């Protein structure tokens, strides 16, 4: 039995030659996320700054113009750097800060879930209340709308806007900060091979 387990362990360790795939897939997963977030902010930077600064219907952050530009450029520029695997550890730091601001300034009051699903763990009162509202909305749409057509692209849901997605992106960024961009398919790897001397 021990010999069999050792053979399985040897097979697992042989996969270390593919260790570049983990960081590559994490980077590629984040590219469209940050590209969309950054370019949407840049497309109407005045509205973004207004939302960042307004305490009544926005985030109430200080220096809203500066922070709006910083967040938008960090996200859009970060997407490009992640795509090519260039300065991945460096760009992870401001992206981590951006995700922490998003978690605590935007999503924190709504709990964990991004989508209101009362059957999921961590369902708070807001999520539980959404179930009745969603069922009522579905009943109205079935009665007064073309429900099959309306749901042809997916189910209707209630957006809870919790920290779930931002926390996921934060965890990925922390992993990339510690792992780096990965071997072979990143500019960072080739620059390090060319210019850095091993210690």
């Amino acid at each position: 039995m021990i010999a069999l387990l050792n053979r399985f362990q040897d097979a697992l360790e042989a996969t270390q030659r593919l260790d570049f795939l983990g960081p590559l897939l994490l980077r590629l997963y984040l590219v469209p996320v940050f590209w969309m977030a950054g370019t949407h902010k840049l497309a109407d930077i005045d509205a973004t700054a207004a939302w960042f600064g307004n305490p009544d219907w926005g985030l109430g952050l200080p220096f809203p113009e500066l922070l709006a530009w910083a967040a938008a450029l960090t996200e859009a520029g970060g997407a490009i750097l992640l795509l090519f695997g260039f300065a991945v550890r460096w760009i992870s730091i401001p992206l981590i800060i951006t995700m922490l601001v998003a978690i605590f300034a935007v999503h924190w009051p709504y709990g964990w879930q991004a989508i209101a699903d009362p059957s999921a763990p961590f369902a708070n009162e807001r999520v539980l209340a959404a179930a009745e509202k969603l069922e009522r909305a579905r009943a109205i749409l079935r009665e007064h709308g073309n429900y099959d057509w309306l749901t042809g692209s997916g189910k209707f849901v209630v957006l809870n806007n919790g920290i779930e997605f931002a926390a996921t992106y934060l965890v990925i960024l922390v992993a990339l900060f510690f792992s780096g961009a990965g071997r072979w398919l990143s500019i960072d790897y080739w620059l390090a091979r060319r210019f850095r001397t091993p210690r």
Side-chain angles (χ1 to χ4, degrees):
M1 183 65 166
I2 297 295
L4 182 61
L5 289 174
N6 283 334
R7 290 177 69 186
F8 280 131
Q9 187 62 36
D10 290 343
L12 286 173
E13 288 176 7
T15 65
Q16 286 181 339
R17 287 175 281 198
L18 302 174
D19 64 358
F20 68 95
L21 286 176
L24 174 66
L25 293 175
L26 293 176
R27 286 171 24 221
L28 295 179
Y29 179 84
L30 290 178
V31 167
V33 171
F34 287 122
W35 180 254
M36 295 299 293
T39 55
H40 275 91
K41 287 179 179 73
L42 288 170
D44 195 350
I45 196 69
D46 292 334
T48 302
W51 179 62
F52 272 39
N54 192 292
D56 297 323
W57 48 263
L59 304 180
L61 297 174
F63 314 110
E65 291 84 10
L66 174 65
L67 291 179
W69 278 103
L73 293 175
T74 296
E75 289 170 342
I80 295 168
L81 294 175
L82 289 170
L83 177 64
F84 293 105
F86 180 56
V88 166
R89 285 192 163 121
W90 289 102
I91 195 59
S92 292
I93 296 168
L95 287 172
I96 286 170
I97 294 167
T98 302
M99 288 301 95
L100 288 171
V101 171
I103 287 169
F104 291 108
V106 180
H107 304 288
W108 189 262
Y110 307 114
W112 173 258
Q113 291 177 269
I115 304 297
D117 178 1
S119 67
F122 313 120
N124 57 19
E125 290 178 19
R126 174 185 161 100
V127 169
L128 294 172
E132 181 182 345
K133 296 172 185 174
L134 181 58
E135 193 49 47
R136 177 72 180 121
R138 286 178 178 153
I140 291 169
L141 291 172
R142 283 189 189 102
E143 185 177 344
H144 300 290
N146 185 347
Y147 191 75
D148 290 336
W149 176 78
L150 289 169
T151 57
S153 298
K155 294 181 181 180
F156 280 102
V157 297
V158 173
L159 178 67
N160 184 54
N161 209 24
I163 68 170
E164 182 178 2
F165 293 155
T168 301
Y169 307 147
L170 173 67
V171 169
I172 293 172
L173 288 165
V174 170
L176 285 172
F177 175 78
F178 286 107
S179 74
R183 296 187 301 149
W184 310 121
L185 297 175
S186 71
I187 293 173
D188 286 351
Y189 172 76
W190 293 105
L191 288 175
R193 274 190 65 144
R194 174 69 178 86
F195 296 109
R196 294 205 54 193
T197 54
R199 293 187 177 196

